[in-house]
Amino acid sequence: MTSPSAALSEHVQTSRRVTAPGERALRFEEYDSAGAPTGRGATFVGVEFHGLKYADLIDHKLNTPINIPLRWTNARVVESDLEGVSPEDVASVNTSLESPYSSRTIGLVQDGWLPSGMALQDNMVVMPDRCTFSELSGRFRDGAKTNEDDRDFLDLFADHTVRINPLLFALEGNVRSNPSPEVIEQQFDIACAMIRAALPLAELVPSGRGGLRGAIGIMNDTQAGMARKQEFLIRLAPMLRAPVAARRVGQIWDEVLKIADECGVPRRSLVVLAALSAVCVPNGKSPAKGLLKMNERNYSLEHAYNALADLRSLELLMHLFAMFPDEKILLCTGDKDLALFWAGIRASNFRLNEGHFECTFSPIEALLQNVTDERKSSYFQESAG
């Protein structure tokens, strides 16, 4: 069925609760046309929301109540007093959510984005970035909210045994450059302490310091590439600070690819794709320009590192999707530009081919405007590197 009830109004509240061990539920409450509750509703289990798209996020302010479309398939109804909706029905729902809750952090999933709390699924591994760690730390003490009047979808983190991986926090470090193994270890301990103080029910994965070896290995493996990409961004900054005139898009597009080659940066890497988007979207409106920090007047290696740390988080996410196709993995970020870029590039088909990572990018038109079909076709037909 396409909706749980013809009487279900556009005013919908959601809440999650556990109806059985390991079983997460979503409750719909019916509201009438005046916005008053009718006292009727339905509870679903097995709900996995489809990811939202670029267009659903572009005009949304993260600290305001959210109004978004919702879609899921094959959820089971466990209780209902709505007309036409019976327990044990299998429901596919296409409706909208008008909620008093904000979504200060965004959950990046394989097919787009969701408010972080709504994206949670049982046994999911959550990878918060540093700003999400700060948000959680300020929002909760011992699992209780510090401000009951502040309603956000992050509140759903407090009610469940959320599995949290502090890799991104530790790997980014706090020195705006590649952290040393000692800094990674220190930041890992800080991240674990922040979560234990805020959300005592959370499970840190991997437990103990066993995961540090992987974080240090990632830092060592990416250090040389990070330096080449920093040089690439430093060289681009003067030409991308101001919006690129439409008549010069082709010229600057080609120059970006030339500089990438000279710096030894693969053309099909995320940083090059982001730079191309910053070139061709009119008036500097591409989220990629904000993501790359290209609005900074005195662009520095530190700005480049911060941008590349964000892009590295997407690269890690995509690699994890390829390595563990049956695992549920969520990256949580408070960076709207990063989330828009992820939703806009529409990455898919994550796979490992003889140990080499591959995926497909299908960017939306909003990220690559004013570019000839010939240039786009040439770029996307090149081998990924």
Side-chain angles (χ1 to χ4, degrees):
M1 57 185 177
T2 57
S3 72
S5 170
L8 183 65
S9 82
E10 62 181 0
H11 300 279
V12 178
Q13 283 188 327
T14 67
S15 63
R16 289 178 181 243
R17 61 184 177 83
V18 176
T19 57
E23 189 172 50
R24 203 181 299 274
L26 180 142
R27 174 77 180 170
F28 264 175
E29 299 290 349
E30 183 186 65
Y31 281 58
D32 63 23
S33 59
T38 67
R40 294 186 296 270
T43 301
F44 303 84
V45 295
V47 174
E48 295 185 10
F49 295 108
H50 291 244
L52 299 169
K53 308 307 177 187
Y54 182 97
D56 302 316
L57 180 60
I58 186 66
D59 294 323
H60 175 62
K61 296 181 179 179
L62 301 188
N63 61 347
T64 62
I66 199 164
N67 185 4
I68 53 174
L70 281 183
R71 189 163 60 95
W72 71 81
T73 54
N74 300 323
R76 181 167 55 89
V77 181
V78 292
E79 60 181 19
S80 171
D81 49 15
L82 292 175
E83 182 180 353
V85 182
S86 303
E88 302 307 321
D89 280 352
V90 175
S92 296
V93 177
N94 190 355
T95 185
S96 63
L97 171 72
E98 184 175 325
S99 170
Y101 288 79
S102 60
S103 181
R104 288 188 179 84
T105 63
I106 303 165
L108 307 187
V109 292
Q110 285 205 34
D111 58 347
W113 70 277
L114 287 165
S116 291
M118 291 184 66
L120 283 177
Q121 298 177 33
D122 294 319
N123 298 316
M124 174 177 271
V125 175
V126 180
M127 299 171 57
D129 65 4
R130 290 185 72 89
C131 56
T132 303
F133 264 93
S134 298
E135 186 69 34
L136 290 171
S137 180
R139 189 166 197 81
F140 303 106
R141 290 288 184 278
D142 258 345
K145 289 178 60 175
T146 56
N147 180 358
E148 286 295 335
D149 295 330
D150 183 4
R151 295 183 291 183
D152 189 272
F153 276 102
L154 269 181
D155 294 347
L156 299 176
F157 277 55
D159 298 331
H160 308 292
T161 306
V162 182
R163 303 174 71 205
I164 295 180
N165 186 318
L167 170 65
L168 298 181
F169 185 99
L171 194 58
E172 182 176 346
N174 63 342
V175 291
R176 303 181 73 187
S177 63
N178 270 321
S180 66
E182 293 75 20
V183 169
I184 290 177
E185 182 175 327
Q186 176 203 49
Q187 292 297 297
F188 178 87
D189 290 342
I190 289 173
C192 292
M194 290 170 71
I195 290 300
R196 292 191 186 104
L199 299 172
L201 289 179
E203 176 189 355
L204 289 160
V205 292
S207 59
R209 291 189 171 184
L212 284 175
R213 184 185 307 171
I216 292 170
I218 291 170
M219 186 273 297
N220 289 334
D221 290 345
T222 60
Q223 190 162 6
M226 184 76 80
R228 291 193 294 269
K229 291 173 183 177
Q230 283 179 291
E231 180 189 358
F232 170 68
L233 291 179
I234 290 292
R235 290 180 60 179
L236 286 185
M239 68 179 71
L240 294 188
R241 183 174 301 118
V244 176
R247 59 183 173 78
R248 299 185 65 225
V249 165
Q251 173 193 343
I252 303 301
W253 175 286
D254 293 343
E255 185 69 13
V256 167
L257 295 179
K258 176 175 176 287
I259 293 173
D261 292 342
E262 292 172 352
C263 293
V265 176
R267 288 187 171 198
R268 289 290 305 280
S269 58
L270 288 181
V271 68
V272 174
L273 180 55
L276 293 175
S277 178
V279 167
C280 62
V281 176
N283 303 315
K285 296 296 186 181
S286 172
K289 184 168 184 178
L291 172 60
L292 295 178
K293 323 300 180 191
M294 285 295 173
N295 295 313
E296 298 292 339
R297 182 175 298 277
N298 297 309
Y299 200 80
S300 65
L301 286 172
E302 289 78 11
H303 293 124
Y305 175 78
N306 285 347
L308 293 169
D310 289 340
L311 289 172
R312 181 171 57 190
S313 71
L314 295 185
E315 292 167 351
L316 288 170
L317 182 66
M318 293 190 296
H319 277 76
L320 290 172
F321 287 153
M323 293 170 64
F324 306 104
D326 297 325
E327 292 288 330
K328 299 172 182 177
I329 302 167
L330 177 69
L331 192 160
C332 292
T333 180
D335 187 332
K336 183 179 175 181
D337 286 330
L338 182 67
L340 283 168
F341 183 69
W342 172 253
I345 63 175
R346 295 190 297 190
S348 61
N349 299 323
F350 310 103
R351 58 201 179 274
L352 294 177
N353 184 4
E354 297 182 351
H356 179 70
F357 171 77
E358 296 177 349
C359 74
T360 301
F361 296 141
S362 304
I364 62 173
E365 180 66 24
L367 283 191
L368 293 178
Q369 303 177 39
N370 295 321
V371 183
T372 64
D373 291 339
E374 181 182 2
R375 274 196 170 85
K376 283 193 281 191
S377 177
S378 174
Y379 175 72
F380 287 107
Q381 287 177 2
E382 293 177 6
S383 297

